[in-house]
Amino acid sequence: FFFFFSTLEKQQSTMPVSDDGVVFGEVNEKNLNLLKLLNASIFPVSYNDKFYKDLLANVELTRLAYFNDILVGAVCCRFEPNKSGTGCKLYIMTLGVLAPYRKMGIGKKLLSYVTNVIAPKRNDVEEIYLHVQTSNDEAIQFYKKFGFDINGKIEGYYKRIDPPDCY
């Protein structure tokens, strides 16, 4: 697990548009199949129809990243209650960018959107966390750069991929 503890302040929810060709958009029925293709291209696991149906039910928790009108990345999150019964956690279910578009700051912008726009939607977010396959050194280094720490290893988390373990 990665955990990121932070005092989160409310910020205005603006649609990030930049002069570098990166534009964020919402997920909807029309672009959902593009998101499915993107995720199939980036991640070694597949996501079921319920995963995508839940995204459409909470569109404010997902952002698509377009570079020159091409879908190249996305982040999908959900809020979860804390086991303590107070506050909540923000789980980054997926955050990915197609390989040719990495190192362009798109992942950083998606993660910034999570911390600066999605997380402040609730006043009680106490942590932000995600899972990363133990062999995904590139992703591990990316998240460490932004203050995430490894908090433990879950053996056998993933099915039908090797290694099946995650942090």
Side-chain angles (χ1 to χ4, degrees), residues 1-9 11 82 88-92 111-117 119-120 124-131 142-152:
F1 282 49
F2 280 88
F3 288 95
F4 176 69
F5 297 91
S6 177
T7 303
L8 302 168
E9 297 178 18
Q11 295 188 7
N82 275 334
C88 72
K89 302 182 277 191
L90 179 58
Y91 177 45
I92 301 173
L111 188 57
S112 177
Y113 192 84
V114 170
T115 59
N116 296 324
V117 178
D124 60 347
V125 175
E126 295 177 358
E127 64 188 51
I128 299 172
Y129 80 103
L130 57 119
H131 297 102
F142 172 80
Y143 290 111
K144 282 185 173 182
K145 199 166 43 171
F146 294 102
F148 286 77
D149 295 311
I150 295 174
N151 191 40

Side-chain angles (χ1 to χ4, degrees), residues 16 21 28 35 50 63 71 73 83 92 102 113 121 136 148 156 158:
N28 58 49
L35 178 59
K50 184 183 179 327
R63 274 300 166 266
L71 180 62
K83 290 182 179 156
I92 301 173
R102 293 180 189 155
Y113 192 84
K121 289 181 182 294
N136 191 343
F148 286 77
Y158 297 110

Side-chain angles (χ1 to χ4, degrees), residues 29-140:
E29 288 280 352
K30 292 181 180 178
N31 60 23
L32 189 63
N33 282 333
L34 285 175
L35 178 59
K36 289 179 181 182
L37 286 170
L38 178 81
N39 284 347
S41 299
I42 296 173
F43 303 110
V45 296
S46 55
Y47 296 93
N48 61 30
D49 289 338
K50 184 183 179 327
F51 174 88
Y52 293 103
K53 184 178 179 183
D54 290 347
L55 296 182
L56 291 175
N58 297 289
V59 295
E60 71 278 359
L61 301 180
T62 297
R63 274 300 166 266
L64 308 180
Y66 295 89
F67 180 74
N68 294 333
D69 297 324
I70 299 168
L71 180 62
V72 299
V75 63
C76 306
C77 303
R78 73 175 178 229
F79 290 108
E80 299 176 344
N82 275 334
K83 290 182 179 156
S84 66
T86 61
C88 72
K89 302 182 277 191
L90 179 58
Y91 177 45
I92 301 173
M93 298 183 291
T94 64
L95 190 158
V97 176
L98 290 171
Y101 298 91
R102 293 180 189 155
K103 308 289 186 210
M104 295 175 60
I106 298 168
K108 178 181 178 178
K109 288 178 183 188
L110 287 167
L111 188 57
S112 177
Y113 192 84
V114 170
T115 59
N116 296 324
V117 178
I118 295 177
K121 289 181 182 294
R122 302 253 317 241
N123 292 326
D124 60 347
V125 175
E126 295 177 358
E127 64 188 51
I128 299 172
Y129 80 103
L130 57 119
H131 297 102
V132 175
Q133 191 176 17
T134 55
S135 62
N136 191 343
D137 294 329
E138 185 179 7
I140 292 166

